[in-house]
Amino acid sequence: SLDELIQRCLNCFDSEGKLSSPKGSQLVHMTLMMHSWVVPSQMFAHKLLTLYPQLSHSSKHTFLSRCAARQWISQFPAVFEANTLLEQTIEDLWALVRSEGEETNSPFTDTSCLLPRSPHVNVYRAPSPSMKKRKVSLIFDHMEPDEMAEHLSYLEFKNFCSISFLDYRSYVVQGSVRENPALERSVMMCNGVSQWVQLMILSRHTAQQRAQVFTKFIHVAQKLRALQNFNTLMAVTGGLCHSSISRLKDTFNLLPPDITKALSELTELLSSHSNYINYRRVYNECGGFKVPILGVHLKDLISLNEALPDYISEDKINLSKLQHLYSNISDLLAIHSCTPPFEANKDLLHLLTLSLDLYYTEDEIYELSYTKEPKNPKIQSIMKNYDQSQDGYISLQDFEEIAANFPFSFCIRKTDSCGE
């Protein structure tokens, strides 16, 4: 039960108010982070308030100095942001403490110093559908693939680090990124990068130029793979494989074999086959700095949440579920402390952000694609499979061989008949 879980956490502290073992530390940390999956935080705080009078004098000191104050408030200040009910409950707890003459000189009796209001850092601004479209930035021509991959990774990592455990909880509960600014920014940047890749290719006038841009983005993707930035890698590869690009036969015919091979390897790595088995294997082998494919791991949280109940009986919490969710979220949050193996130029970041700040509808992108390489109206649908060169024409010899296969050879030329 919730009372038993709180008591078990208290038992993890020694007489000096210190956590006695790594296992106990993990239990306390998990409980303070994950309790909101089963009970609202203000209810959890109320349990602490009602439990306090039942504790012995020494237990009260341990409970207040370590568990309630330093552990919860200092490690998870985001829980208290904009939650007046929770803050009021904590204030009531401190009032009870002071009324009993405990902790009168403790800095933790003033919750105002422990409840910082830190706004989210908006490192990527999602474009508005009504925003006037900007001209595609020429920054691409001035950046090498490695430099571009590093600056994209910088933006990606900043967005990723702004996602808190509360954001993950909100997504799991709601099943949507709506009203979740941190996750929404990450999704919008991913979509923005994918669309930008398409537009940069389609902005070139000749098939040869488009093939060159395509090749450059393959090199960007390879650098992203080396940096272990799988989320942006997915966005760039998704843009390269988008149907508005893959239909450009003239462009693809000019790609070197090593580039088409690299594209095939990337798509195989990121394939959703067997629940992203290839990506998961590679990702789990990576150490140090890395950025996961956020959508894959969000899906895992949703699956865990739906597969396991919150309670195993009327009042018994399913600790197994909380531990599994805690493990997954902790792995994601641990990446925040990694140091990226690159630096970023502020001016280039600004220009790159402007380049990503585009808005085109799918119809507009396809219209641009067909403008660059139009459909060939000269080919009747029945003849498309026989146009081996894909140039819109079938030779006379091929035509006669095709016609001979039909039961009514009405279209065979009569070369021995005068005037026919």
Side-chain angles (χ1 to χ4, degrees):
S1 67
L2 181 59
D3 288 344
E4 293 169 339
L5 180 58
I6 293 175
Q7 188 60 56
R8 184 178 296 184
C9 287
L10 294 180
N11 293 338
C12 294
F13 294 91
D14 59 24
S15 58
E16 297 180 353
K18 298 179 180 179
L19 289 166
S20 56
S21 68
K23 185 176 181 180
S25 177
Q26 185 183 50
L27 175 64
V28 172
H29 194 266
M30 183 206 73
T31 301
L32 295 176
M33 179 191 290
M34 305 300 296
H35 68 269
S36 58
W37 245 269
V38 290
V39 294
S41 288
Q42 58 265 27
M43 183 181 295
F44 183 82
H46 184 72
K47 283 286 185 181
L48 302 181
L49 178 62
T50 57
L51 183 61
Y52 176 77
Q54 306 171 25
L55 300 174
S56 64
H57 179 79
S58 60
S59 296
K60 288 177 181 179
H61 175 75
T62 297
F63 170 74
L64 288 169
S65 65
R66 297 297 296 179
C67 186
R70 297 178 187 172
Q71 292 292 322
W72 193 12
I73 300 177
S74 62
Q75 291 189 15
F76 302 101
V79 176
F80 298 85
E81 293 182 7
N83 191 335
T84 55
L85 291 177
L86 175 58
E87 189 170 354
Q88 183 58 53
T89 304
I90 294 297
E91 292 286 359
D92 292 343
L93 177 59
W94 299 144
L96 178 59
V97 173
R98 289 191 292 268
S99 70
E100 295 193 1
E102 297 287 345
E103 299 287 322
T104 55
N105 298 319
S106 172
F108 297 112
T109 57
D110 180 10
T111 58
S112 62
C113 65
L114 294 173
L115 305 176
R117 301 296 190 264
S118 55
H120 290 288
V121 179
N122 190 3
V123 296
Y124 178 72
R125 180 167 56 88
S128 168
S130 61
M131 183 182 297
K132 183 179 179 180
K133 296 192 290 285
R134 292 186 176 93
K135 186 177 181 180
V136 176
S137 172
L138 297 180
I139 184 177
F140 174 84
D141 296 325
H142 304 143
M143 297 181 72
E144 294 299 321
D146 285 5
E147 191 177 29
M148 185 177 296
E150 290 173 354
H151 282 74
L152 285 172
S153 295
Y154 183 90
L155 292 175
E156 186 74 75
F157 188 58
K158 284 294 184 182
N159 275 337
F160 181 73
C161 288
S162 72
I163 303 173
S164 71
F165 75 95
L166 290 177
D167 295 316
Y168 290 119
R169 179 189 176 278
S170 172
Y171 177 80
V172 171
V173 172
Q174 298 180 13
S176 170
V177 299
R178 292 180 180 177
E179 300 182 2
N180 192 326
L183 285 177
E184 198 168 28
R185 281 195 301 271
S186 182
V187 171
M188 290 303 298
M189 181 179 172
C190 187
N191 292 339
V193 169
S194 181
Q195 189 179 86
W196 179 63
V197 169
Q198 299 168 52
L199 293 171
M200 290 304 299
I201 295 173
L202 295 174
S203 67
R204 298 320 197 250
H205 298 294
T206 68
Q208 182 62 49
Q209 291 173 336
R210 291 191 292 273
Q212 291 173 351
V213 176
F214 191 102
T215 297
K216 196 164 189 177
F217 272 117
I218 286 290
H219 294 152
V220 171
Q222 290 174 324
K223 178 62 176 181
L224 290 169
R225 169 64 183 88
L227 291 173
Q228 301 181 158
N229 177 1
F230 296 98
N231 206 51
T232 311
L233 175 60
M234 174 68 88
V236 171
T237 305
L240 294 174
C241 295
H242 193 273
S243 54
S244 66
I245 303 299
S246 62
R247 64 166 296 276
L248 303 176
K249 302 302 181 183
D250 293 345
T251 300
F252 272 77
N253 288 338
L254 296 174
L255 294 177
D258 62 317
I259 295 301
T260 55
K261 179 183 179 183
L263 178 62
S264 177
E265 292 172 349
L266 290 172
T267 54
E268 183 178 359
L269 168 63
L270 303 173
S271 171
S272 61
H273 174 70
S274 298
N275 196 17
Y276 296 91
I277 185 173
N278 294 330
Y279 157 72
R280 292 180 187 277
R281 174 182 54 78
V282 171
Y283 178 78
N284 290 332
E285 293 172 354
C286 292
F289 175 84
K290 57 183 179 180
V291 182
I293 301 175
L294 190 58
V296 172
H297 298 270
L298 289 176
K299 180 183 176 183
D300 290 345
L301 295 178
I302 289 287
S303 298
L304 273 173
N305 188 59
E306 293 182 349
L308 301 173
D310 292 338
Y311 289 85
I312 55 178
S313 65
E314 184 175 350
D315 66 337
K316 300 296 183 181
I317 298 172
N318 189 349
L319 284 182
S320 177
K321 174 179 180 175
L322 291 188
Q323 288 169 342
H324 278 85
L325 288 168
Y326 171 76
S327 177
N328 284 26
I329 294 176
S330 295
D331 287 345
L332 295 173
L333 295 177
I335 300 173
H336 294 187
S337 61
C338 293
T339 301
F342 50 78
E343 296 180 354
N345 179 283
K346 291 185 178 180
D347 292 333
L348 289 180
L349 284 175
H350 177 68
L351 291 174
L352 185 56
T353 302
L354 291 178
S355 297
L356 298 177
D357 195 9
L358 302 166
Y359 181 80
Y360 284 75
T361 66
E362 285 288 301
D363 289 342
E364 288 173 329
I365 292 178
Y366 276 107
E367 182 179 352
L368 184 58
S369 176
Y370 286 119
T371 299
K372 300 301 180 181
E373 295 189 22
K375 287 182 177 180
N376 197 325
K378 297 179 181 179
I379 306 179
Q380 294 180 9
S381 60
I382 197 172
M383 298 301 180
K384 286 183 179 179
N385 293 331
Y386 301 98
D387 181 14
Q388 300 298 324
S389 63
Q390 297 292 308
D391 62 356
Y393 297 92
I394 299 177
S395 68
L396 179 59
Q397 181 180 354
D398 288 340
F399 180 80
E400 291 181 343
E401 292 177 356
I402 294 168
N405 293 325
F406 287 88
F408 302 100
S409 300
F410 55 87
C411 51
I412 297 296
R413 291 192 309 147
K414 295 183 179 181
T415 55
D416 56 348
S417 298
C418 181
E420 295 185 12

